[in-house]
Amino acid sequence: MSPVPHNVPRSFYSFSQLVLNTCPLGFPQLTRRTKIAYFEVEILDAHTRKQVQVIDKVHPSSTVLDLKNRFHKACPQWYPSRTGLRVDRNGPFLKDSCIIHTIASSSLVTLYFTDLGRQVSWSTVFLTQYFGPLLIYLMFYFRLSGVYGETKSNRHLAVNLACFCHSLHYIRHLLETLFVHKFSEGYTPLQNMLKGCAFYWGFTAWLGYYVNHPLYTPPYFANKQLIPSTLCFLFCEAGNLCINIVLAQHNQAGNKSHFPRSTSNPFTWLFKLVHCPQYTYEIGAWLSLTVMTQTVPVAVFAIMVSIQMMLWAKKTHNKYLKQMKNSSCQRMAVIPFIL
């Protein structure tokens, strides 16, 4: 027998190291899946504090709207639009886009439920409020039977211009509601829409009856009063449309680091002086219509609309000032250099 070489143990050791390095022994390491911590939402009545429903296995990324839909499946009588949920009994209602994990302090989330009553969408509110005045005013303008009785008197130029301007105003509002404005999430109670309709429809019937009456007295200065007021009205309507388009683009961009700014469009240059130029143009339009028609009902409506616009503008002005602490206060709310 031939002797075994001395380098055999070393060769076997090298071969074993090669095998271990190329093909490591052991089982592949399994990837661990993180467990999702679901929430359990307890819904209590805000008035009685009694438990209404418990919704389990709520995903952390679920929204309040998702929660309302599941609540509606469990309690079909409570529609999502009329369901109000709050963290505190007297706190603000949660927005539909609110994420559940942002309001949860433990695995059990307690929310208080309030029945908001019948709700309607914001687009329905504005379409109803603006379509009614358009239809009501035209009914008086064409002097339908039963409104003024049998009459064949011709309409004055002021009556025709007032009808054109009034109709143009509300047609613009309707088109902006359909194609320009982007309404915030949520709904509003039905009684709010009824209040708005009563205000706009009632005043339209009052001013429409007087302006289109067969015994209507035209403006004292005739064309010297009609032509400037008509041009001013058209200017304000065009400016209001341009401002609303800029505001819609600014809101879609979602940039809250600066105010809405003027563009190359001259109608938007009013942004350099006031925070709410849309209200400035709106007030100017109704004051122009007051001068054009020279009637008390139009003047009363213009005053009430102006007061409401000023209140809204002042509120928006204060909100902008809080958001932009380092901004200059050269801009006013609605009236340049005054208010």
Side-chain angles (χ1 to χ4, degrees):
M1 295 180 63
S2 61
V4 179
H6 294 285
N7 60 350
V8 170
R10 183 177 298 178
S11 300
F12 179 77
Y13 176 78
S14 300
F15 177 76
S16 63
Q17 290 297 321
L18 178 64
V19 171
L20 290 175
N21 290 332
T22 55
C23 301
L25 298 177
F27 297 97
Q29 192 174 14
L30 298 177
T31 58
R32 295 183 179 180
R33 296 184 179 179
T34 58
K35 294 182 178 179
I36 300 176
Y38 290 93
F39 292 102
E40 183 176 321
V41 179
E42 179 187 28
I43 300 179
L44 306 179
D45 189 281
H47 299 287
T48 62
R49 293 189 178 183
K50 293 182 179 180
Q51 188 182 91
V52 180
Q53 187 66 34
V54 175
I55 303 176
D56 56 354
K57 294 184 179 180
V58 178
H59 197 276
S61 62
S62 298
T63 62
V64 173
L65 181 59
D66 298 331
L67 192 64
K68 289 181 179 180
N69 290 327
R70 292 189 59 181
F71 180 62
H72 172 58
K73 291 181 179 180
C75 303
Q77 69 273 24
W78 306 121
Y79 294 94
S81 60
R82 65 184 298 169
T83 300
L85 298 177
R86 293 182 282 194
V87 177
D88 299 323
R89 292 181 62 192
N90 299 322
F93 290 105
L94 298 173
K95 294 183 178 181
D96 289 345
S97 59
C98 180
I99 308 300
I100 296 299
H101 74 83
T102 60
I103 60 175
S105 58
S106 63
S107 60
L108 177 62
V109 180
T110 301
L111 298 179
Y112 293 93
F113 159 73
T114 301
D115 181 16
L116 300 177
R118 283 190 152 185
Q119 305 285 304
V120 290
S121 63
W122 283 108
S123 59
T124 303
V125 172
F126 290 113
L127 289 175
T128 307
Q129 287 183 355
Y130 297 146
F131 182 75
L134 177 63
L135 184 63
I136 292 172
Y137 194 93
L138 292 176
M139 180 182 67
F140 286 102
Y141 175 75
F142 289 110
R143 297 175 180 175
L144 300 181
S145 58
V147 178
Y148 300 109
E150 296 295 332
T151 178
K152 296 182 180 180
S153 59
N154 296 326
R155 299 182 183 89
H156 192 271
L157 176 61
V159 177
N160 295 328
L161 287 176
C163 180
F164 171 77
C165 292
H166 188 274
S167 301
L168 178 66
H169 179 77
Y170 283 102
I171 289 174
R172 176 185 63 80
H173 272 304
L174 290 172
L175 293 177
E176 287 178 353
T177 303
L178 293 173
F179 304 108
V180 177
H181 294 302
K182 301 298 181 182
F183 299 102
S184 59
E185 63 178 20
Y187 299 81
T188 185
L190 178 62
Q191 55 266 27
N192 289 347
M193 186 187 75
L194 297 179
K195 292 178 182 178
C197 291
F199 176 78
Y200 283 100
W201 294 16
F203 266 104
T204 301
W206 186 29
L207 62 91
Y209 176 83
Y210 275 87
V211 174
N212 297 288
H213 199 281
L215 301 179
Y216 166 74
T217 302
Y220 182 78
F221 294 101
N223 291 342
K224 294 181 180 179
Q225 187 171 340
L226 289 176
I227 295 176
S229 59
T230 303
L231 294 177
C232 184
F233 179 89
L234 295 176
F235 176 83
C236 291
E237 287 296 304
N240 208 334
L241 176 62
C242 296
I243 292 297
N244 286 328
I245 292 176
V246 171
L247 290 175
Q249 294 174 350
H250 180 267
N251 294 333
Q252 289 178 3
N255 190 354
K256 297 182 180 181
S257 61
H258 60 78
F259 303 121
R261 296 175 180 176
S262 59
T263 63
S264 58
N265 187 343
F267 288 105
T268 64
W269 292 351
L270 195 56
F271 268 122
K272 299 179 181 180
L273 300 176
V274 295
H275 280 130
C276 301
Q278 71 275 23
Y279 298 147
T280 309
Y281 284 124
E282 186 82 5
I283 294 172
W286 282 108
L287 293 178
S288 301
L289 193 63
T290 302
V291 176
M292 182 192 309
T293 58
Q294 195 175 303
T295 56
V296 174
V298 181
V300 173
F301 183 74
I303 293 173
M304 296 190 68
V305 168
S306 300
I307 294 174
Q308 182 63 70
M309 297 290 176
M310 290 178 185
L311 293 176
W312 289 341
K314 193 66 177 177
K315 183 178 179 180
T316 304
H317 176 69
N318 293 333
K319 184 185 71 173
Y320 281 157
L321 293 182
K322 290 181 180 179
Q323 292 177 354
M324 313 294 179
K325 296 180 180 180
N326 297 327
S327 64
S328 60
C329 298
Q330 296 178 355
R331 293 188 187 184
M332 303 303 292
V334 62
I335 301 177
F337 312 111
I338 299 177
L339 178 65

